Amino acid sequence: MRRTLWFLLRLGLVIALAVWVAQRPGTLRLDWQGYIIQTQVGVVAVALLLLAVVAYILVRLFVLVWRSPGRFGAGRRTSRRTRGYQALGRGFLAVASGDGANASRLAAKADGLLNEPSLTLLLSAQAAQLAGDEAAAAGHFTAMRERGVALKQPDMAFVGLRGLALQALAAGQTQRALGLVQEAAALKPKARWPLLTQFDLQARAGDWTAAAATLDALTAAKALPAEALRRHRAALLVERSRAAEADGNQDQALALARKAHDLEPASVPAAVQAARLLAATGSARAATRALEQSWQLAPHPELAAAWGVAGEKAGAAADPLARVKRLEALVALDASVPEAHVALADAATEARLWGLARGHLTRALALRPTARVYRRLAALATAEHGQGAEERGHLAQAARAAPDPAWVCQACGGVNPAWGALCGHCGGFDTLSWRAPGAAARSAAAETLGFLPPPEPPAGSGKGSGKGGGAEGGGLRRLSNRLPTFTLASLRPGRRT
């Protein structure tokens, strides 16, 4: 609209000037060097107008010729850049479709056409990985790391470090991967994945002190929800308490256990660890209070077992009748909890109070008929009457009953005999929950910290879990399974006493 108005304004000015000249006729005379030129004013105006048009055309032609080399070069550069980005885009599509040979060819073409080392090197590295050439991929990632530092482009160096760390994990080089991740964290302190991966590697290695320091950095960066951070911190405190106890530092172990229980009162391991250490120091009431607080939030067999021995002195002979009395108080807290009845029945069986044991097992069976209750009834029948039809009947019912809850990994579904911060099958950190085996687990990807691989099921996978290696096959499956499954069998938590 503005251009149209401007054109009309200029046209109006020209017409007005022409009308003004036409309304003022006259003669223009030029006398120069004996030549006399005399003509009308209108003719002179038209001649000047034509001269101006010719001069404008000549100037435009001169500018066009003067700028032609530059424009020709710019056009070639634009064409090269367009073809380079087209090759780059097709290369990434080839990687996504699993066409390694075409991806390598397009990566080389894009590298020759573009001056974008961060993109072309990344495409070349991915094409090399797709073709199974890990050495070439490592060279490309190393080039990204070095050129990113030299050119002061932290993003390029960051991606190179991540690629190298990914390869180190795939090769089982966890210490080298940890160093690369720490370098990436120093390059970008606010980045999420280096801190998460560093924390996961430290936890899987059992370096609880270093993992706690990294968890502080994760808290400061708000990299995880507050609930997850609190749960992870409580699990770390329990493991640090166990380590301190193993080293003979009872005071530190007790302080860490109480801190874990205060932070996460519903945590069964924290409550059991704190209560056991409190009972060992003679603080039976404090131990009972800790167990009661957790029991009201999450009743659990281990809490009931710890409640039964909370009042016993260290080294003293167990008193089954006293244990029955203590567990009767636990049942009195909430008689609708089957775990309390089972624990009281166990104590009554140990004290040879067959009727009391049978009554509470029957009550537990009415509340929640699980295989464990039927097995307890079978054991009670054997202890009271010996082996016979009653025992076999209970065992047959146990085989058909619902499975008992256990410490099941939410990532791989593996059943662990006791709680530990690490899953004994896949090495996942803080993934154990008390539930019935076989229930649907949460997504493994949601439970994986950093970019470590999701663990595989502990049975039926047919693969090792301690060493790295690329997955067999090609295409996307090869890239998605690049990382190994970590199972640190040496760090498998033992059964507590």
Side-chain angles (χ1 to χ4, degrees), residues 87-101:
L88 193 67
R90 290 199 300 269
F92 281 115
L93 289 176
V95 169
S97 62
D99 190 354

Side-chain angles (χ1 to χ4, degrees), residues 161-182:
L161 286 168
R162 180 166 184 170
L164 291 172
L166 192 76
Q167 287 189 310
L169 286 171
Q173 302 171 354
T174 54
Q175 288 300 319
R176 179 171 179 266
L178 182 59
L180 291 167
V181 168
Q182 289 173 341

Side-chain angles (χ1 to χ4, degrees), residues 199-222:
F199 173 75
D200 206 356
L201 286 172
Q202 291 168 341
R204 292 182 186 224
D207 191 353
W208 309 120
T209 303
T214 306
L215 189 62
D216 291 337
L218 283 168
T219 304
K222 298 181 180 179

Side-chain angles (χ1 to χ4, degrees), residues 424-451:
H425 298 283
C426 67
F429 175 77
D430 196 19
T431 57
L432 301 187
S433 65
W434 184 257
R435 60 180 175 84
R442 284 187 290 177
S443 171
E447 295 298 326
T448 302
L449 296 179
F451 59 90

Side-chain angles (χ1 to χ4, degrees), residues 402-473:
D404 299 305
W407 289 113
V408 181
C409 179
Q410 299 183 69
C412 71
V415 178
N416 291 255
W419 182 91
L422 299 175
C423 172
H425 298 283
C426 67
F429 175 77
D430 196 19
T431 57
L432 301 187
S433 65
W434 184 257
R435 60 180 175 84
R442 284 187 290 177
S443 171
E447 295 298 326
T448 302
L449 296 179
F451 59 90
L452 294 182
E456 297 179 1
S461 63
K463 297 181 180 180
S465 58
K467 295 182 180 180
E472 297 180 359

